[in-house]
Amino acid sequence: MFDNTEDSKTKLSELGEFGLIDHLTQHFKIKHPDSTLKGIGDDAAVIDHQHKTLVTTDFLVEGVHFDLSYMPLKHLGYKAVMVNLSDVYAMNAEAKQITVSIACSNRFTVEALEEIYAGITKAADLYNIDVIGGDTTSSVKGLQISITALGEAKEEDIAYRNGAKPNDLLVVTGDIGAAYLGLQILKREKEVFKVNPNSQPDLTEYTYLIERQLKPEARKDIPELLRKLEVKPTSMIDISDGLSSEIMHICKSSKVGANLYEDKIPLDPKVISTCEEFKLDSTTVALNGGEDYELLFTISQNDYEKIKANPHLTVIGHMVEEKEGIHLISRMNTKIPMQARGWNTVDEDE
């Protein structure tokens, strides 16, 4: 999208704030003229949603949420959008617009911000999103990105965390644990590079895991799929902090317990083999890894026949009365109380 070379080092001050904003946003096109009445170019955007509007914001900070030694800037821009869109889809809604705000220190050049915006533009194009505004400003240290996403849904379609009932089925999309392992591989190679800067790692066999970490995909397809199947989730959440944490969030909000069956957790074969290589327990990785951005939801047992043959969906357990607690049912049929360790940020051992 942008012309760029390794020796391009245009200082941000050369364009000025308004010139920089114009430069970075010139490629955005409006895709939802029915709801985006005014996007970039005025004091505020003007939105006209026919149904209920959903709003969510995430803030990503260098050294806490990402490490630029192995996170390409284009991937960072893409991922920052996915993190927000995932929250909209986790409400069983359609994402429509985003705003983008970036703060960066003077070590970043115009070309660096172009790379970030290239990733944002790619995500907006693929997910049919309007970029309707935002801000750029200076930072004393590092890089921060804040994105706000707006979505739309009919009131009766919105899925909250508090609607699960005892005997509802617990369902997850895709597979779990790959993003955490992708991060472990990248951190390992970073340490190798520190010792030997001339080393060039061959990461071909870990492509899927690394992509799940650096370029996750939000599950836009799931709300659409559920509508086609005529299935309304009784509760829903996205898996950003680990499967166990998200199950506990639903249980707390819905005042129910849950039984999660270890042998039902969907794991990619590469997750299993890499866990063996790192001497990690695959169930622990799936429960506590985080950043998968799959969707976790509950449905009435009456809807089981509608989803049972779908390859994107896996029933991994069921909800119980709150007094029964939250448990992992092991492969040996042992009932283990579930704990949420959650997602650790990239600086956990620095």
Side-chain angles (χ1 to χ4, degrees), residues 294-306:
E294 296 292 343
L295 297 180
L296 176 73
F297 58 95
T298 56
I299 62 170
S300 166
Q301 288 195 26
N302 295 332
D303 286 330
Y304 173 68
E305 293 295 323
K306 300 176 183 177

Side-chain angles (χ1 to χ4, degrees), residues 80-207:
V81 177
M82 292 303 111
V83 169
N84 284 271
L85 299 189
S86 182
D87 283 334
V88 176
Y89 303 139
M91 302 289 288
N92 202 35
E94 180 184 1
K96 291 290 188 73
Q97 293 94 8
I98 62 171
T99 65
V100 180
S101 294
I102 295 179
C104 60
S105 67
N106 58 12
R107 92 172 197 263
F108 291 89
T109 63
V110 170
E111 289 75 24
L113 292 191
E114 286 176 351
E115 282 295 295
I116 295 173
Y117 270 80
I120 292 169
T121 302
K122 183 71 171 179
D125 288 344
L126 288 178
Y127 283 76
N128 198 33
I129 302 298
D130 289 341
V131 181
I132 59 170
D135 194 16
T136 60
T137 189
S138 60
S139 167
V140 174
K141 180 181 179 182
L143 173 68
Q144 298 94 42
I145 302 177
S146 177
I147 291 183
T148 296
L150 294 91
E152 181 180 11
K154 295 179 181 178
E155 184 172 8
E156 62 268 25
D157 289 339
I158 299 174
Y160 299 93
R161 298 179 183 180
N162 63 358
K165 301 290 189 295
N167 299 318
D168 281 356
L169 299 178
L170 188 62
V171 185
V172 71
T173 66
D175 57 81
I176 306 298
Y180 174 81
L181 291 174
L183 179 61
Q184 301 315 303
I185 292 162
L186 291 167
K187 292 173 77 170
R188 180 183 69 180
E189 296 307 321
K190 177 183 176 179
E191 294 306 311
V192 171
F193 180 79
K194 285 180 180 178
V195 175
N196 180 13
N198 294 320
S199 71
Q200 293 295 322
D202 182 5
L203 301 177
T204 306
E205 64 174 304
Y206 304 113
T207 297

